[in-house]
Amino acid sequence: MNGGFFTLRSSKMRKLPVIILPGESSILLHHHLIRKLFSTSSIASLPVDPEPSDLSWQLLSILSHSNWQKHPSIRSLIANIYPSHVSSLYSSNPNLDPRIALNFFHFIARKPGFKHSAQSHSLLLNILIRSKFFGVSEKIRISMIKSCVCLDDVRLALDCLREMNRDDNELKFKLTIRTYNELLMMLARHLLIDEMKRVYAEMLNDMLVPNIYTLNTMVNVYCKMGNVVEANSYVSRILQGGLRPDTFTYTSLILGHCRNKDVNSAYKFFLLMPEKGCRRNEVSYTTLIHGFCESGSVDKGINLFKKMREDGCFPTVRTYTVIIDALFKSNRKLEAINIFSEMRKSGCQPNVHTYTVVIDAACKESKFDEGRGMLDEMMGKGLVPSVATYNALIDGYCKEGMMEAARDILELMQSNNCIPNERTYNELISGFCKMNNVHKAMVLLSKMITHRLKPSLITYNSLIQGECRVGHLDSAYRLLNLMKENGVSPDQWTYSFLIDSLCKNKRIAEAYDLFNSLKEKGLKANEVIYTALIDGYCKAGRVEDADSLLQRMTTDDCLPNSSTYNALVDGFCKERKVGKAVFLVENMAQKGVKPTVQTYTILLAAMLKGGELDHAHLVFSQMVSSGHEPDVYAYTVFIHTYCNTGKLKEAEAIIARMIKKGVMPDSLVCTLLVNAYGQLGLLDQAFDVLKHMFNTGCDPSRHTYGFLIKHLLKENKSDARIDLVPNVSLVDVADVWKIMEFETVTKLFWKMLEHGCSPNINTYAKLIIGLCKVGRIGVAQRLFCDMNERGICPSDDIYDSLFNCCCELRMYGDALRLLDAMMESGYLPLLESSNLLVCGLYNEGKKEEAKTVFCNLLQCGYNNDEVAWKILIDGLLKNGHSDACSEFLSIMETRNYQIHPQTYKLLIEGLDVT
């Protein structure tokens, strides 16, 4: 084989340095593994501020000068000063001149982006109070309370304030009513209800009388929680204290009742406000409007919105946003867009939340250009998108399988210093798993942990489903154990994925055992689990067992749904027991489960396969008359029958009918038509269908191209082997890939161009994948080179197919060159294929090359556990290379590629066996 293939970017494999510990044993010692097994964390440490002590002494020296603000060194130090340095300065010098300490505090606060911490406030207070600077100390402690952004800040501020409030403290500085109020408001922002009650009690103990601000804060926080009863107890104290409930009080009560899903009571308080001499304001209106919208009474919310101006109130940006959001959620898109337009015309500028709502709505309708345009518009106006804004786009792209676009948004998000949250990662992980790119999803799991975000049940379920989808059951079980170790309990969905995958892999006994173990796990099997097992039994030809399980399902108070019945109907049809299938359909209707389009389609397929065309037409009519609109699959069963029997006019009539009904032919329908035309020697018409597919964005499948090539070969009679059986099925077309040559592809391309179809990335991908599946690497390589000469960049699946094929054919030189090209283009090779390469090189005695490949892979950013699972455990250990496994694990450890203790446990068990 010519060694020039896959050398587009580099003529040889890159050699990355391999770190081998000198004198270390090739067998990993058990005590070493056990020590690592119980290591505390696999999370990388976050960056910290520069060492405070390095600068604090320099600052002290500069501050000793009378005109320190103009000292030549101060300007050069400013860029490196963080709150920790200010705290270090004050804590190391408690007797610092209070005026200098205060002036420096204000001076450094003017640095762009600088914010004093609660700790720096606290230490400054100690200096000021010691010198009895009480007037300014009151302002600083109010500033300290307002600076609290996390629970650690809150605890520090509370401790500081309580300490200075102690009567026996030499630095005593009693809290005022204003300080208490600010403290209560800060605690309310963090919803620390118990701490609020304690602070309120401390205020009473200090003989301070709560004012309207104090009591309103207490009312408001309980209303936020929907606890109207407790809120009313503080309203009573307002009245008992001779105070009058004000607009804020009533607005809080409106909020409380809305949160309690009692909008009618909220409305009563709203109507009561003028009677009590309280003016309703924009917040009162917006709160009630939001309550109406949340309860589903959107029109009542809109009516209230329209009456605001009559009451001297004007809608705020929040008011508009609430209405726009409610209209979008109610599928009243045109009204929402009109309100959004009205909002801008009235001079009320949308904020980040408004734009987020509009972007989210656009993405849910797959109008991604509009969504992205809105993002650009808001950024052009100087608005900083929130994590929710970016998530709206990422969520939309992921649901459509547009993962590159989703990843672009993630990069934009990070470049704008917006930190992704759990939802960001969960959406991306789910999206990659749905596209069968589980290794990319596992990379994101690593990034989640690195950023100290805890993977949730949603995260693990997506990954387990993804591993099951690509048939990696061992990895799915490892993830199951990993989630348990991390304190996340599997649910019904977790086990449904595993049971379904076991059934699809014909491991029915294991699936049934797992199903029976659910009760002891404290879980009840749901209809999804039952359906998966019933479907598994049916596909294994055990229809009677599936029928028995349906009976057990009913006994266990788990109601079968249409999918459950459909699985069993399909099972009976596959066993040619159509009569039983029809009886079951009638039975499901009697039990209140309506047959679906899929139910009818299963029956139609069985009847057509049995030659009962008239009966099938009757069932089709029954489906339509019962209110079910046929989908593309229902039409396809007829088209397939007509195409296979050479009845093209009938097939074309069905296609015309479905298009008239707004159902567009998919790739399978077009492929059936391509083959039917080809069977009759109408090759130009077959290529016209291909042209139609190109024009309508319907991607031709591997089978589409396979049929075109088959009929091209038959037309040219270039190979007697192509004289295949008439009415060939989609599977039989695989014979084409075994005999076609590059010249055949050239003819295909010329014919495509004659019909206005220029070969694109999809064309090359389908051809290369088809060839690689049957080991025709030579032709596939020539296509790969041809594609690159035309300036078409390889896609993920092209790389995957070529790399895997080279490894399976033990063409390790070509595999190494291709791996180099993949890595240099930033692509993550599949670990399963990389495993074949590493083990293959090792088997051939090329240990250094295998080691180099492994080290290169480590730098690609894979999830470390997945590397250990798929290369060390599933590769080297299963192939008996325990020495290599130990050595490679040592490399991971030396380079700080940490793996989970559960993975170490698996390695120990594997090394014990070998």
Side-chain angles (χ1 to χ4, degrees), residues 763-791:
T763 312
Y764 281 100
K766 296 303 185 287
L767 293 174
I768 290 172
I769 291 168
L771 289 161
C772 287
K773 280 186 176 293
V774 294
R776 298 292 307 287
I777 191 65
V779 184
Q781 286 173 329
R782 289 189 67 181
L783 266 173
F784 181 78
C785 291
D786 184 72
M787 177 185 67
N788 280 283
E789 286 170 7
R790 292 171 185 261

Side-chain angles (χ1 to χ4, degrees), residues 195-426:
E195 200 60 66
M196 286 184 73
K197 289 169 72 174
R198 182 181 169 192
V199 168
Y200 183 82
E202 289 168 357
M203 182 179 67
L204 296 179
N205 288 337
D206 279 349
M207 307 302 289
L208 290 173
V209 180
N211 60 21
I212 189 65
Y213 301 106
T214 318
L215 296 167
N216 270 347
T217 302
M218 300 303 291
V219 171
N220 184 256
V221 76
Y222 281 110
C223 285
K224 279 182 180 175
M225 306 294 291
N227 189 346
V228 182
V229 174
E230 194 68 29
N232 278 327
S233 70
Y234 286 94
V235 174
S236 298
R237 295 179 201 191
I238 291 174
L239 298 171
Q240 291 165 6
L243 304 169
R244 288 180 57 191
D246 58 11
T247 298
F248 188 89
T249 319
Y250 282 106
T251 301
S252 295
L253 290 169
I254 290 167
L255 172 66
H257 285 293
C258 288
R259 290 278 169 91
N260 214 22
K261 302 188 186 303
D262 184 4
V263 190
N264 291 332
S265 295
Y267 190 50
K268 288 177 183 176
F269 275 102
F270 180 79
L271 295 175
L272 188 65
M273 289 176 74
E275 296 178 21
K276 297 295 183 180
C278 289
R279 181 184 175 275
R280 295 186 289 233
N281 62 14
E282 286 80 5
V283 181
S284 315
Y285 271 96
T286 303
T287 303
L288 186 55
I289 288 168
H290 188 249
F292 277 129
C293 291
E294 285 289 294
S295 68
S297 303
V298 180
D299 287 327
K300 287 184 178 179
I302 291 172
N303 288 336
L304 198 62
F305 168 74
K306 291 176 179 177
K307 291 177 181 177
M308 286 182 72
R309 287 181 174 83
E310 297 173 13
D311 205 5
C313 295
F314 295 89
T316 63
V317 62
R318 166 135 178 85
T319 320
Y320 277 112
T321 304
V322 164
I323 292 290
I324 292 165
D325 187 37
L327 287 168
F328 273 127
K329 285 176 179 174
S330 301
N331 207 28
R332 295 162 66 172
K333 300 159 196 168
L334 185 59
E335 292 175 77
I337 292 166
N338 289 338
I339 294 288
F340 184 61
S341 177
E342 175 194 316
M343 173 185 186
R344 294 200 274 195
K345 286 177 183 175
S346 69
C348 182
Q349 291 303 314
N351 63 10
V352 171
H353 187 202
T354 320
Y355 275 110
T356 301
V357 166
V358 177
I359 289 169
D360 185 54
C363 290
K364 280 184 168 57
E365 287 196 317
S366 300
K367 295 179 179 177
F368 298 112
D369 289 341
E370 286 184 25
R372 185 59 197 266
M374 281 290 173
L375 179 68
D376 293 338
E377 179 183 310
M378 67 180 288
M379 292 173 71
K381 290 183 176 181
L383 294 173
V384 180
S386 67
V387 66
T389 317
Y390 290 112
N391 282 350
L393 275 162
I394 288 172
D395 178 41
Y397 284 130
C398 288
K399 282 183 169 55
E400 288 291 317
M402 301 167 67
M403 298 313 299
E404 287 304 315
R407 196 154 50 182
D408 288 345
I409 296 296
L410 177 66
E411 289 175 5
L412 177 66
M413 180 180 189
Q414 291 170 325
S415 68
N416 289 334
N417 297 317
C418 182
I419 300 170
N421 61 11
E422 289 91 344
R423 185 183 170 190
T424 316
Y425 283 108
N426 283 340

Side-chain angles (χ1 to χ4, degrees), residues 1-99:
M1 183 64 64
N2 190 331
F5 288 117
F6 312 133
T7 55
L8 303 172
R9 302 177 185 275
S10 171
S11 60
K12 59 182 180 179
M13 189 70 176
R14 287 177 296 153
K15 300 290 184 181
L16 297 177
V18 181
I19 299 176
I20 305 295
L21 297 179
E24 186 167 68
S25 169
S26 61
I27 300 294
L28 191 64
L29 298 178
H30 274 212
H31 75 269
H32 177 60
L33 272 172
I34 291 167
R35 187 180 76 247
K36 294 297 292 183
L37 178 62
F38 294 104
S39 62
T40 55
S41 174
S42 62
I43 300 173
S45 58
L46 294 175
V48 294
D49 298 339
E51 187 63 40
S53 58
D54 293 342
L55 285 178
S56 60
W57 70 270
Q58 295 180 55
L59 286 172
L60 183 63
S61 175
I62 292 168
L63 293 175
S64 64
H65 293 80
S66 58
N67 203 11
W68 58 266
Q69 291 96 333
K70 296 183 179 179
H71 193 282
S73 299
I74 191 70
R75 296 296 171 189
S76 61
L77 283 179
I78 284 178
N80 297 315
I81 297 175
Y82 293 89
S84 57
H85 301 115
V86 179
S87 297
S88 178
L89 172 70
Y90 292 158
S91 63
S92 302
N93 303 281
N95 295 314
L96 187 65
D97 186 307
R99 295 176 185 82

